[in-house]
Amino acid sequence: MTVLDDSTAPGLVGPPNSHGPRRDPAPLLPDPEPVRILGTPAAKMFDTELQRELYRRLVLGRRFNQQATTLTRQGRLAVYPASTGQEACQITASMVLREQDWLFPSYRDTLAVVARGVRPVDALTLMRGHAHSGYDPYEHRIAPLSTPLATQASHAVGLAHAARLRAAADPETAEELVALALVGDGGTSEGDFHEALNFAGVLGAPVVFLVQNNGYAISVPLASQSAAPTLAHKAVGYGIVGRLVDGNDALAMHSVLSAAVEHARSGRGPVLVEAITYRLDAHTNADDATRYRSAAEVDAWRARDPLTLLERHLRAAGLLDDAGVAATARAAEDLATEIRAQFDNPPDPDPDSLFTHVYATPTSQLREQAAELAARRDADAYADAAEDEDEDEAR
Amino acid sequence: MSTTMVAALNAALRDSLRADANVHVLGEDVGALGGVFRVTDGLAAEFGRQRCLDTPLAEAGILGTAVGMAMYGLRPVVEMQFDAFAYPAFEQVFSHVAKMRNRTGGQMGLPITIRVPYGGGVGGVEHHSDSSEAYYAHTPGLHVVTPATVADSYGLLRSAIASDDPVVFLEPKRLYWSAVDFSPAEVSTAQVPPIGRAMVRRPGTSATLLTYGPSLPVCLEAAAAARSEGWDLAVVDLRSLVPFDDETVCTAVRATGRAVVVHEAAGFAGVGAEIAARVTERCFHHLAAPVLRVTGYDIPYPPPMLEKHHLPSVDRILDAVARLQWEQ
């Protein structure tokens, strides 16, 4: 008999159940296999208009990724971390949100930002290099793209928690909002990911964490990143629901993610969704993916391209024909043309803006430094003008 | 009425919570316990557990959650339990709290107050006595404020919470139990000091001591002792490291022509180095001697039984004053 078995001994085991299991972990566990709808009987039950809409958005999303990558080759974007191959995740992440909801993207989630209504050129501002962010976070209810990994996850928790606090204090203006935080597989190793999920669980905040597991954190494969059964299983440790989904199955993505968002909205707590997907392009245009993964592996995933899977299904179901494909392709080219036009005029950022928004009111030190820079620019402009004049005279 | 700094800080939090429904306090042990230093004593009872929230023990999570709350329009006041316990939150401080307003072109400011009990002199174990002000002061986008008196601890904390910018509010824990005759109720809004103004605590004609937070009482003591040496020392309390009050500091230095900077933190690359440089750049022709520094040594914080050798003392300050190249 161990000490703990001796429940009659007062003081040895503490109050009943104070430290024991507090809830049944079974309902939190993800399915052993990723949820799939394409190729299953469930596909027949899926709203046909929504299927066509998903196809249209995926095609446009793919074209966006291609166009942005082209812009880097032309030097019109400094860098672009493409989400090629992850479009089903990106598109559904924006589609399942309502107007009052908030999106917390990472640097690879530009497409999700565009899909929620931000102009491409504004979503790509960080990569273009004339400002750190190009859209009003309050207009679109999208936090700025977060470059530090997983740090935006706890922001999502805090915002969702704050919305509930305010709703409790003032039910008249209550917003039943959900915050959706986007994280990659590498990001799940960060301490911030752990802390965000733990806070979400404890606070019961209406948050959904979508982990796009694309297999690599730049070059490091998942096996070197985590020994967890799946990343979705991590949810159980925080007392929140874990869901595993095929991230290249657009119908499954939409279904699982919208269920997760409505689960959170209804006050039943946060959800962690792991989407199994693949980054078909390199980490960024500056990366060389051949150093860490084989062509055969990439080819195998190309065969599971979310666009291909959806198009094949829609054609087989009689929901899409050659004319439909061609019309969608034209819409995608129109988008590409529009994006190129948005990039026609090179940005001309105002150096004065360097000092304007460091604080609500600039400090005296920043006012001095702004004046110094302005004076230097005036002097340079004067010197340039004088030089031009000399050249004119020489002619 | 005798009031300690802890009581004044508590009153500032209470009055801020009363004045603005958007103010929320969160941190470790801030609820039923009232914080390990009792600064949040009674707040959960008066305002409820949601407005004075006991969080999980995770500083990055606390601050990250506060960032999200501030994005939604709340004014979170975060308690970091000890100076060195704030370090896990540094990424949130440096990468988001300090930068969000700038990143968003002014669209998303984060009115967060981060309270940090700091400094030594309390016989604390390692990690309970750090002076971490230089880390914060080096990061553009943060205000860094440290009160040295009971009245300022009330007023500056009210101002910090009302500020639209993030404020790192450094509380000198060895002054927590210092008491003066002062009632927070007597402080009207008009008297709440603005952030960014230093204050001359003692006028003087011989030399100027520039200091802040826990070192102010030491400097005042040194100034009193200096009388017997024939020196009349001015003492300036910076109160705010960022924004820095060049005007008050330079006026006080020019008036005497000699200056000593005093702080507990290690001297190398510390706030005192910045102050000495600024004063030299701006007051060179008024100076009769180089600006000297009396600081903690460039060592990890020592064990309690040795900390008295590390902290700036009256003797070390007077020795520095004696080295200000006085004419014979």
Side-chain angles (χ1 to χ4, degrees):
Chain A
M1 191 176 81
T2 67
V3 172
L4 286 176
D5 289 333
D6 189 5
S7 54
T8 56
L12 279 179
V13 290
N17 297 327
S18 68
H19 300 85
R22 282 152 295 182
R23 58 192 296 191
D24 177 10
L28 308 177
L29 283 167
D31 294 335
E33 288 296 318
V35 173
R36 291 199 175 92
I37 292 183
L38 290 174
T40 74
K44 291 195 176 61
M45 312 291 289
F46 207 95
D47 183 296
T48 52
E49 270 318 298
L50 181 54
Q51 293 189 44
R52 287 199 184 96
E53 178 65 7
L54 280 164
Y55 172 74
R56 194 185 68 82
R57 284 171 167 255
L58 251 65
V59 171
L60 264 57
R62 173 63 52 85
R63 191 66 188 89
F64 170 82
N65 270 322
Q66 289 168 340
Q67 184 58 59
T69 302
T70 304
L71 289 169
T72 63
R73 297 204 189 99
Q74 298 168 342
R76 293 202 276 179
L77 275 182
V79 66
Y80 180 61
S83 57
T84 312
Q86 301 176 214
E87 288 90 348
C89 301
Q90 295 281 306
I91 293 299
T92 53
S94 99
M95 281 178 80
V96 300
L97 296 183
R98 297 188 198 170
E99 194 179 347
Q100 73 267 29
D101 296 336
W102 272 78
L103 181 69
F104 287 80
S106 81
Y107 60 84
R108 196 180 299 288
D109 302 312
T110 329
L111 176 55
V113 171
V114 170
R116 194 162 159 75
V118 175
R119 288 202 315 154
V121 69
D122 296 335
L124 291 163
T125 295
L126 172 69
M127 287 38 148
R128 203 181 187 195
H130 60 286
H132 294 314
S133 185
Y135 53 88
D136 180 347
Y138 291 105
E139 181 189 344
H140 300 281
R141 297 211 160 195
I142 307 175
L145 300 172
S146 181
T147 306
L149 293 182
T151 52
Q152 76 279 16
S154 57
H155 304 169
V157 177
L159 185 135
H161 176 61
R164 284 215 312 171
L165 287 175
R166 187 165 284 172
D170 184 7
E172 298 254 316
T173 62
E175 291 186 311
E176 289 190 336
L177 73 75
V178 175
L180 174 61
L182 305 183
V183 183
D185 46 304
T188 65
S189 298
E190 293 281 2
D192 286 86
F193 179 76
H194 154 71
E195 296 191 21
L197 266 71
N198 192 43
F199 271 68
V202 169
L203 297 173
V207 189
V208 175
F209 304 95
L210 171 59
V211 175
Q212 293 165 81
N213 176 2
N214 66 18
Y216 291 88
I218 301 188
S219 67
V220 177
L222 188 66
S224 304
Q225 202 69 242
S226 174
T230 72
L231 298 176
H233 276 85
K234 293 193 174 199
V236 182
Y238 306 104
I240 71 180
V241 172
R243 289 291 174 254
L244 185 61
V245 57
D246 183 342
N248 286 11
D249 178 337
L251 306 192
M253 272 308 298
H254 191 279
S255 170
V256 169
L257 212 48
S258 52
V261 165
E262 295 316 313
H263 177 98
R265 194 186 310 282
S266 67
R268 284 176 287 163
V271 183
L272 169 64
V273 177
E274 177 188 0
I276 309 292
T277 182
Y278 195 77
R279 194 190 74 211
L280 288 172
D281 286 340
H283 165 61
T284 67
N285 50 300
D287 177 39
D288 175 8
T290 63
R291 293 175 75 101
Y292 52 82
R293 62 187 196 185
S294 69
E297 179 186 299
V298 179
D299 287 344
W301 277 97
R302 277 196 198 287
R304 296 211 72 253
D305 184 321
L307 255 175
T308 316
L309 296 186
L310 186 58
E311 184 182 329
R312 191 185 301 152
H313 160 77
L314 291 176
R315 281 179 183 274
L319 296 171
L320 184 70
D321 55 16
D322 288 346
V325 169
T328 313
R330 280 195 300 277
E333 283 317 305
D334 289 347
L335 172 68
T337 306
E338 187 192 326
I339 295 172
R340 288 193 297 270
Q342 288 175 4
F343 276 81
D344 265 351
N345 299 319
D348 184 20
D350 179 6
D352 286 342
S353 71
L354 290 172
F355 303 95
T356 315
H357 299 298
V358 182
Y359 298 100
T361 309
T363 61
S364 63
Q365 289 77 21
L366 287 186
R367 285 197 300 272
E368 282 171 23
Q369 291 168 25
E372 182 200 311
L373 179 61
R376 176 165 304 283
R377 287 170 54 225
D378 285 348
D380 288 349
Y382 181 78
D384 288 349
E387 208 169 277
D388 290 348
E389 215 163 275
D390 289 350
E391 278 174 18
D392 289 348
E393 276 174 26
R395 276 191 214 112
Chain B
M1 173 182 164
S2 178
T3 301
T4 62
M5 186 177 278
V6 164
L9 292 166
N10 180 265
L13 290 172
R14 189 181 303 272
D15 290 351
S16 297
L17 283 159
R18 279 183 189 152
D20 184 351
N22 287 322
V23 174
H24 282 68
V25 171
L26 65 161
E28 296 154 5
D29 302 298
V30 297
L33 183 66
V36 293
F37 294 106
R38 307 293 182 266
V39 174
T40 59
D41 188 34
L43 301 183
E46 180 173 346
F47 300 98
R49 289 188 308 138
Q50 288 298 345
R51 288 193 71 197
C52 185
L53 182 70
D54 270 333
T55 64
L57 207 164
E59 292 77 10
I62 294 169
L63 194 52
T65 300
V67 168
M69 292 166 72
M71 284 176 166
Y72 198 69
L74 302 186
R75 285 185 181 269
V77 182
V78 163
E79 175 170 311
M80 293 289 156
Q81 199 159 70
F82 284 96
D83 31 61
F85 289 177
Y87 300 160
F90 269 10
E91 185 176 19
Q92 289 290 344
V93 175
F94 298 157
S95 292
H96 294 302
V97 174
K99 293 177 174 165
M100 193 63 78
R101 175 182 293 281
N102 188 63
R103 180 179 302 153
T104 59
Q107 285 159 334
M108 186 177 259
L110 297 176
I112 302 174
T113 303
I114 306 171
R115 294 182 39 243
V116 186
Y118 85 118
V122 295
V125 296
E126 196 185 7
H127 307 106
H128 284 50
S129 299
D130 283 2
S131 292
S132 37
E133 63 269 28
Y135 307 134
Y136 301 108
H138 190 62
T139 303
L142 303 173
H143 285 170
V144 183
V145 172
T146 178
T149 69
V150 173
D152 266 4
S153 65
Y154 176 88
L156 288 173
L157 185 52
R158 293 291 316 258
S159 294
I161 295 170
S163 170
D164 286 334
D165 283 310
V167 179
V168 177
F169 193 85
L170 298 165
E171 299 169 2
K173 65 175 92 73
R174 74 162 127 150
L175 302 183
Y176 264 161
W177 303 279
S178 63
V180 295
D181 191 25
F182 163 78
S183 163
E186 293 165 17
V187 179
S188 72
T189 312
Q191 289 169 300
V192 168
I195 288 173
R197 298 302 295 184
M199 181 167 264
V200 177
R201 295 290 180 193
R202 185 188 196 282
T205 55
S206 313
T208 304
L209 304 182
L210 303 169
T211 192
Y212 54 87
S215 298
L216 176 65
V218 187
C219 286
L220 290 172
E221 201 184 324
R227 293 297 293 173
S228 61
E229 310 279 337
W231 292 313
D232 179 19
L233 301 182
V235 179
V236 177
D237 174 8
L238 297 174
R239 306 203 290 181
S240 165
L241 306 181
V242 184
F244 189 80
D245 187 353
D246 282 309
E247 189 188 346
T248 301
V249 166
C250 290
T251 303
V253 171
R254 287 181 191 128
T256 64
R258 289 176 168 85
V260 178
V261 188
V262 182
H263 64 56
E264 273 187 37
F268 190 85
V271 168
E274 173 64 24
I275 297 168
R278 301 187 77 79
V279 167
T280 305
E281 286 165 357
R282 286 164 177 74
C283 310
F284 186 74
H285 292 292
H286 295 81
L287 290 174
V291 179
L292 298 183
R293 286 172 288 164
V294 177
T295 68
Y297 297 115
D298 297 327
I299 55 172
Y301 199 85
M305 292 172 73
L306 292 172
E307 70 178 337
K308 64 175 183 288
H309 302 290
H310 174 71
L311 296 170
S313 61
V314 169
D315 282 352
R316 282 177 64 196
I317 294 168
L318 292 180
D319 284 351
V321 171
R323 287 188 286 121
L324 288 172
Q325 303 188 3
W326 304 94
E327 286 151 27
Q328 296 304 309

